Amino acid sequence: MPLDPVIDRVTDRIRERSAATRAAYLARIAAAASEGPRRAHLSCGNQAHAYAAMPDKDDLAQSRKPNIGIVTAYNDMLSAHQPYERFPEIIRAAASRAGATAQVAGGVPAMCDGVTQGRAGMELSLFSRDVIALAAGVAMSHDTFDAALYLGVCDKIVPGLVIAAASFGHVPSVFVPAGPMPSGLPNDEKARIRQQFAAGEVDRTALMTAEMASYHGPGTCTFYGTANSNQMLMEFMGLHLPGTSFVNPNTEMRDALTAAATERAAQITNLGEAFLPVGQILDECAFVNGIVGLMATGGSTNLVLHLPAMARAAGVILDIADFHDISEAVPLMARVYPNGLADVNHFHAAGGLGFMIGQLLDAGLLNADVLTVAGGGLGSYVREPRLRGGRVEWQQGSAESLNDRILRPARDPFAATGGLKQLQGNLGRGVIKVSAVSPDRHVIEAPARIFTDQEQVKAAFRANEFTGDTVVVVRFQGPAANGMPELHSLTPVLSVLQDRGLRVALLTDGRMSGASGKVPAAIHLSPEAAKGGPLARLRDGDMIRLDAEQGTIDCLAPDFDTRSPVTADLSANQHGMGREMFSLFRAAAGDATDGACAIL
């Protein structure tokens, strides 16, 4: 099938925009690769330090066995990352069987947005991505590794690891997932109880019981938020082995897939005939494929922040117009909570990513001729893993959806477009995700109510101050102001107002998670208020028109453009919970539309 003209045009546009930066990047990694295996350049003293604790140190010092570096986001506070405790043992054994060695090169921090929602720690969350990239860079700086395995799942962890992998683009790299927890309390039931609690209809005991029944074991949260969107992305971009994203932790298949990833990493080093630096994989086509996957699955808006930062690390320049145009061309093929009732386990059972990739390839909506860690182009990702004698074999996946309430073919989708829209107007530039929003709420025109943090919104709700249609404006929430925390804790409040019959919307220079729900939310508005952006000129009562159909976001006040921007007292966001250590990140962060990155 020839490539869809929109996908072709956007890919060419990115390639042209990135020509100089991509060429410079490829020249750098080619120069690094030309030096050959890295350990060959270490002195005897360097090598002795690196191998001192290894049981097979003589092999490392005297042979040409590949040495695989493990960069891990393990901790046992995050359910998604707790399974990684066992992975180094599995990897070392698999490496030995493959004639290689493996070492934990280093660990990276991994915080949980689910724990920090609505708390001061959330103001460190976005910049933890940059810290993760830096920490992974420190791990890889020992320069003793012929390949790398990156172990990470959740919101900022995978983007940070990709930034680091791109920075060490001459090193072959495979990303290794841990998988989702088994299904627990249905997500729609959890959301219902959250709304009941917000409305004062149930007590905290009922809320806690529901939450614990939903988040109940090792593995990723089962809704389709940022963590699971990350896993989809790694598969669509060819950085996972096929079919590995949504296999549950601590199963025989998961362990076998981890061993298979290790074996593949050993095969693609500069010591053999199949050398595949990760920087070559991370090209324009790979990032376009990732965006296609994001739209087809209805994935997290956080990836609209992370993908430009990830791409920039590989010399590829993305713009939010690329997301918009791809969204207009790509059908929404999946309904996974919050866009439906199913969770990722149900999605995987219905055919999952292999079915979707096959459908999108057949429709000409993916760049097929790409490099992947599995080899064979993206076509190899329609296969799914099966166990044979304790080892993984790949076979053709399902060509049909096994549940058309969860997963549909490209020719008969849930919606004709991916549901992500670019917004532009006199209030700046941002995005809105409408795949879960009722069509009768794609256009909201209502007076503004201005707030400078989400606690103010919740206090106004408790005081019953929202009695008419309202655009809730939460400004001074961008990366330069306070680190751009998620405003996800507003979802129950806004949902209650909408269920009461009010026409409400959220407008912010902050962000929402992939679980933002059914309330229209114009997010990532740039330039942000803290930099004198348009949101800083809004006043209570200004009429706001949010039009997701036309892609516009405007203040209708006739004097709007002549007003002076207000400032806010941000001193409370500068200290406590480690925030004082992140002042350099806030000062250096770029606009949200460019990825809000402080290190690139």
Side-chain angles (χ1 to χ4, degrees), residues 2-292:
L3 192 61
D4 177 89
V6 175
I7 304 301
D8 193 21
R9 184 170 66 250
V10 173
T11 304
D12 281 345
R13 184 171 74 200
I14 296 170
R15 186 178 292 114
E16 181 178 349
R17 184 192 304 138
S18 309
T21 51
R22 180 68 178 168
Y25 171 80
L26 290 174
R28 289 197 302 271
I29 67 170
S34 69
E35 298 177 8
R38 312 302 293 174
R39 287 179 292 127
H41 303 288
L42 298 180
S43 71
C44 293
N46 293 149
Q47 293 191 56
H49 277 288
Y51 311 149
M54 294 283 286
D56 43 6
K57 51 181 169 284
D58 290 338
D59 277 349
L60 276 168
Q62 299 173 18
S63 78
R64 286 174 57 84
K65 283 187 175 181
N67 189 32
I68 300 169
I70 306 166
V71 180
T72 177
Y74 162 72
N75 64 52
D76 58 12
M77 189 275 295
L78 272 72
S79 62
H81 290 77
Q82 186 273 342
Y84 283 134
E85 183 175 20
R86 298 176 51 247
F87 277 39
E89 179 183 358
I90 296 168
I91 290 166
R92 292 188 193 103
S96 180
R97 292 193 299 270
T101 58
Q103 297 175 284
V104 174
V108 303
M111 66 180 290
C112 180
D113 288 4
V115 176
T116 57
Q117 288 288 354
R119 309 289 296 170
M122 176 55 81
E123 296 180 21
L124 278 58
S125 173
L126 177 59
F127 293 138
S128 76
R129 177 192 65 190
D130 298 15
V131 174
I132 288 158
L134 294 171
V138 170
M140 293 299 295
S141 70
H142 295 97
D143 212 19
T144 61
F145 306 111
D146 303 296
L149 294 174
Y150 289 95
L151 280 54
V153 175
C154 287
D155 296 23
K156 313 317 161 301
I157 295 92
V158 167
L161 292 175
V162 171
I163 290 170
S167 298
F168 287 79
H170 59 286
V171 179
S173 301
V174 180
F175 281 67
V176 186
M181 67 179 70
S183 301
L185 182 75
N187 285 297
D188 60 325
E189 177 67 9
K190 174 191 67 179
R192 184 184 67 81
I193 293 171
R194 283 180 175 178
Q195 287 184 222
Q196 286 182 323
F197 178 77
E201 297 171 3
V202 300
D203 63 13
R204 188 170 292 278
T205 299
L207 177 66
M208 190 64 185
T209 299
E211 296 288 353
M212 293 293 284
S214 180
Y215 307 116
H216 62 91
T220 317
C221 305
T222 59
F223 65 84
Y224 195 53
T226 310
N228 288 317
S229 296
N230 282 338
Q231 302 313 293
M232 171 281 301
L233 189 72
M234 293 300 92
E235 203 150 326
F236 267 79
M237 292 181 65
L239 295 173
H240 279 175
L241 291 180
T244 63
S245 294
F246 300 130
V247 174
N248 299 126
N250 302 318
T251 60
E252 185 181 5
M253 174 61 87
R254 172 52 67 200
D255 291 353
L257 286 168
T258 300
T262 307
E263 294 167 5
R264 183 58 180 162
Q267 292 168 357
I268 59 177
T269 74
N270 208 1
L271 292 164
E273 301 300 319
F275 181 45
L276 182 57
V278 72
Q280 292 184 7
I281 295 175
L282 293 169
D283 65 2
E284 301 87 351
C285 293
F287 284 103
V288 167
N289 286 348
I291 298 172
V292 170

Side-chain angles (χ1 to χ4, degrees), residues 295-318:
M295 301 311 162
T297 58
S300 170
T301 55
N302 277 331
L303 270 298
V304 183
L305 276 174
H306 298 319
L307 275 162
M310 294 155 64
R312 191 175 295 270
V316 177
I317 309 301
L318 300 180

Side-chain angles (χ1 to χ4, degrees), residues 357-381:
I357 290 172
Q359 288 285 310
L360 291 164
L361 284 169
D362 289 346
L365 291 167
L366 286 168
N367 290 284
D369 188 16
V370 293
L371 295 173
T372 72
V373 297
L378 201 60
S380 63
Y381 283 71

